[in-house]
Amino acid sequence: MRTTKPNSTIATKPIILACIFLLVFLLVIVFRSSSLPTRPLSCPPIKHTIPAESQTFNKLSPATAETLVHYVTSNITPQQTFKEISVSLRVLNKKSPCNFLVFGLGYDSPMWAALNNGGRTVFLEEDKSWIRQIQSRFPNLESYHVVYDTKVSRASDLMEIGKREECKVVEDPRVSKCELSMKGNLPDEICDVEWDLIMVDAPTGYHDEAPGRMKAIYTAGLIGRNRADGETDVFVHDVDRVVEDKFSKAFLCDGYLTEQEGRLRHFTIPSHRARLGRPFCPL
């Protein structure tokens, strides 16, 4: 979620950033309002006056208000492009309010929480100091610290481990015998929820000593398969990198790939508990 290259803070003029967020916000309003029923043309509108004391107004939620102020006044852009964000936005428009799990915490976190207005959006972050920094600015965001015990330099070995039979068993990540599962690293607050959307945009993965997203990608797929029924939309960012490319194809499966825009891939993972006997990846 944060900048993935050292010493490469991305800055633009505040007005450009404000326009980007406002465009996304307007898209939400347009898409949702288009589904509202229209008044029949043959019936003239009924005019009536509502007493002032009984009028109610839809106010912005505190999280949405904070987000608007942040993006209007900030000179730091979200890591994803407008087109990439729009892929997730289309799904959020259909499913929100919903349960949205995000691997990573960054400058785009307030936007994701605001776009899932009324739902639950949770962020998983590897850096405790970064969590404190973001929470001081956005206290309404729900985030948890997670520990990764892998390194990008081990990605090839972990890919081979992922081919073992125990890694094809669909079960709660907390009891999985697969080394790629984040067992012991996920709080119960995460594992006890059925997530409708999962975004994998962390942990750090741009150098060999970084933890990489091998476990995050595998676990996201396991969470989706292990839900009681329905399906989970999983998004993986930075698929131009080797780990994100290979692990998303192997463990989220080419057969579940719905769309790719730029460096973002969208997979739709169905429940494997609702239909026993499904192969780990569709044949």
Side-chain angles (χ1 to χ4, degrees):
M1 302 284 284
R2 288 171 286 168
T3 303
T4 55
K5 294 183 180 178
N7 302 320
S8 61
T9 303
I10 304 174
T12 59
K13 293 181 179 180
I15 189 64
I16 297 177
L17 184 48
C19 289
I20 291 176
F21 181 77
L22 288 174
L23 281 173
V24 173
F25 193 73
L26 287 172
L27 279 173
V28 176
I29 296 173
V30 170
F31 287 150
R32 291 182 178 174
S33 63
S34 64
S35 62
L36 296 175
T38 57
R39 180 184 289 117
L41 295 178
S42 58
C43 299
I46 300 174
K47 296 182 180 180
H48 60 277
T49 303
I50 302 176
E53 61 272 12
S54 67
Q55 292 184 15
T56 59
F57 300 92
N58 292 326
K59 295 176 64 177
L60 290 175
S61 68
T64 302
E66 283 181 1
T67 302
L68 285 170
V69 172
H70 167 65
Y71 286 113
V72 168
T73 59
S74 174
N75 64 350
I76 302 175
T77 62
Q79 189 180 347
Q80 296 186 28
T81 67
F82 178 80
K83 287 185 177 180
E84 290 169 349
I85 292 171
S86 297
V87 174
S88 308
L89 174 62
R90 286 193 292 271
V91 179
L92 279 168
N93 281 330
K94 294 177 181 178
K95 290 193 169 184
S96 65
C98 64
N99 294 321
F100 187 10
L101 178 64
V102 183
F103 285 82
L105 181 69
Y107 295 115
D108 50 359
S109 297
M111 176 190 68
W112 294 126
L115 294 177
N116 188 29
N117 186 34
R120 184 184 181 192
T121 306
V122 177
F123 303 91
L124 303 179
E125 172 57 38
E126 66 197 276
D127 188 338
K128 283 186 176 180
S129 62
W130 183 249
I131 292 177
R132 289 192 296 269
Q133 182 178 337
I134 293 296
Q135 284 183 335
S136 66
R137 298 181 62 184
F138 306 102
N140 289 315
L141 294 181
E142 182 180 359
S143 58
Y144 297 90
H145 177 243
V146 291
V147 177
Y148 297 92
D149 55 3
T150 55
K151 292 184 178 181
V152 171
S153 57
R154 285 200 63 216
S156 296
D157 294 336
L158 291 172
M159 178 63 77
E160 292 303 312
I161 289 173
K163 296 176 182 179
R164 297 175 182 173
E165 286 304 313
E166 64 265 26
C167 294
K168 297 178 183 178
V169 177
V170 175
E171 55 189 340
D172 190 314
R174 291 171 290 190
V175 299
S176 173
K177 296 178 176 61
C178 180
E179 188 178 333
L180 280 169
S181 176
M182 291 178 65
K183 51 183 177 289
N185 294 330
L186 290 177
D188 290 338
E189 292 88 346
I190 303 303
C191 296
D192 291 337
V193 176
E194 288 196 345
W195 298 99
D196 303 297
L197 278 77
I198 302 177
M199 175 74 70
V200 180
D201 206 0
T204 308
Y206 60 82
H207 59 87
D208 284 347
E209 295 303 304
R213 300 176 186 173
M214 297 81 70
K215 282 195 171 186
I217 291 172
Y218 175 85
T219 302
L222 193 58
I223 290 173
R225 291 178 176 89
N226 193 54
R227 66 181 296 148
D229 54 31
E231 58 189 24
T232 301
D233 292 278
V234 180
F235 306 88
V236 179
H237 195 229
D238 296 317
V239 294
D240 56 323
R241 302 192 305 213
V242 173
V243 166
E244 286 80 355
D245 175 39
K246 291 186 175 181
F247 275 74
S248 65
K249 288 181 176 179
F251 301 112
L252 301 179
C253 307
D254 280 323
Y256 292 146
L257 178 63
T258 303
E259 181 180 2
Q260 177 168 342
E261 175 61 53
R263 296 178 295 150
L264 184 81
R265 280 188 191 141
H266 171 205
F267 298 85
T268 303
I269 311 294
S271 166
H272 283 217
R273 289 170 55 193
R275 200 187 87 185
L276 299 179
R278 282 183 188 269
F280 191 80
C281 284
L283 300 177

